[in-house]
Amino acid sequence: MAKVLIAPLNWGLGHATRDIPIIRTLLDHGHEVTIAACGNARSVLEQEFPACTSRDFPDYSVPFSANSLFLARFISSFPQLLQDIARERRNLATMLAEEKYDLIISDNRLGVYSDEIPSLFISHQLHFHLPLAIWPLELAGIGLNSGLHEKFDRVIVPDNPPGPLSLGGKLSRAETDVTRNRAYYAGILTSTRVQDVAQDLDYLILISGPEPQRTELEKILLPQVKDLPGTVTVLLGSPQAAETTRLSERCTVLSYASTEEKERLMNRAKIIICRSGYTTMMELAELKKRQALLIPTPGQPEQEYLADYYEQQGWFPARNQHQVELVRDIREIARYRGLPDVPGTRENVRRLYDDVLAGYLE
Amino acid sequence: MDDLVASGIAVLVSLLLAAAILIAGIVYVILLELHAFANGDYMFVLGSMGVLVLLCAGYAGAGLWLHRTGRI
């Protein structure tokens, strides 16, 4: 039995939730897992794996912007990020001095690696997308990423290899030999599972993501919801107020739903209207959803790229949140063919264990 | 100091240095243009404007080429 330290980033729940199948597989193989995380990411994993040891492990503040100035905000927060990484390195050193681990798995936590212990890095972004006007920075980002990947033994990419089944497009493309030699394309990894339920919900609208853009989208979409033909559930992703409002016979607004409730709603939905975050895209792929409308969070280059990429691939239509007109835009959905069939999480995580993890643990 | 943090600081300093050089360059060119304009040296103004347009076009062209060829 080996001991594994797993540390997901707490920027949204996407990192923690995609680690759930990996942790489950490690436990199934009899290994001991210690969760090192903070905030909601830690809570979710503690709830899912109460028997695992969990340690508070602060990460970095989120440089999400109130407007479209993500990059400016990101660059201005760089000194703080460096301080946070220095603290993360010190905390990790303390943790490793207190307890012996056989493997470290970092989900997008830049400073969670060791020279003595095999360290794996999970990331779907091997290549950062930036606006075309600042293309030299995008090229510089490739070099920076490569320098970071050099610190790790392997880079686990939760996507299919570059090609027609790649859900990340250029984001998950290894551009340098350093990254290429370390990259392992695991395929999608998500905690969301297919359920045997009737698809009796015509539309599920997921209004999620960082504030204030989440509230902005709520203000844009809610007045339009009543015009949609069929049954509609809107999930506001606003845990502060756990209430349910019925806008009409056909339309329900939930301010918050648990992970299980959300999974059930996604399974029941025929059409999903959502942000184009990569975690959500993996969920759509896992559930084999063919119909969706994507609304990227303004100022988040990754979501803007993915929305654009999916539209170009003919998978899902995408709309800028300030131009969305639900009744008109849902008619567009039928012209798109949905995501291609890709291997599911169960198969992927089994392969990941056999191909990579077992080599370090058995 | 941890080498990851040291590399990060080097990146930050390079970024700030590049931004400073760029801004200084822009200010210098504007001052040159204003000076030439004030002295009635319109050939210099036109010539340097042409060079600037070419540089901008080269920058935009390189970006578009990288984008079209799928490199970025």
Side-chain angles (χ1 to χ4, degrees), chain A residues 78-79 82 85-86 89 110 113 127 132-139 144 151 170 173, chain B residues 2-5 7-9 11-12 15 58-60 62-64 66-67 70-72:
Chain A
F78 210 76
L82 288 175
I85 291 174
R89 296 288 297 147
L110 313 179
Y113 63 88
H127 177 144
L132 188 57
I134 48 171
W135 61 264
L137 289 183
E138 186 167 325
L139 292 181
L144 285 178
K151 309 279 181 200
K170 76 171 179 185
R173 202 170 62 199
Chain B
D2 186 86
D3 64 339
L4 183 69
V5 179
S7 320
I9 291 171
V11 168
L12 185 63
L15 210 63
Y59 179 85
L64 282 172
L66 287 166
H67 182 63
R71 285 170 171 84
I72 60 169

Side-chain angles (χ1 to χ4, degrees), chain A residues 205-225:
Chain A
I205 304 180
L206 302 172
I207 302 181
S208 58
E211 295 289 3
Q213 296 295 352
R214 194 209 62 77
T215 302
E216 190 66 25
L217 184 62
E218 181 182 330
K219 284 182 192 161
I220 292 167
L221 293 188
L222 274 189
Q224 302 185 39
V225 160

Side-chain angles (χ1 to χ4, degrees), chain A residues 194-265:
Chain A
V194 177
Q195 295 178 350
D196 188 16
V197 292
Q199 290 207 353
D200 57 354
L201 180 62
D202 292 310
Y203 304 96
L204 173 64
I205 304 180
L206 302 172
I207 302 181
S208 58
E211 295 289 3
Q213 296 295 352
R214 194 209 62 77
T215 302
E216 190 66 25
L217 184 62
E218 181 182 330
K219 284 182 192 161
I220 292 167
L221 293 188
L222 274 189
Q224 302 185 39
V225 160
K226 61 181 186 314
D227 302 324
L228 285 172
T231 50
V232 187
T233 294
V234 183
L235 183 52
L236 297 182
S238 170
Q240 296 84 354
E243 50 190 45
T244 303
T245 314
R246 283 193 84 87
L247 290 185
S248 71
E249 276 283 290
R250 303 176 288 106
C251 180
T252 309
V253 180
L254 304 173
S255 56
Y256 179 74
S258 66
T259 315
E260 295 78 25
E261 283 172 299
K262 184 184 161 202
E263 183 177 303
R264 194 168 176 80
L265 286 168

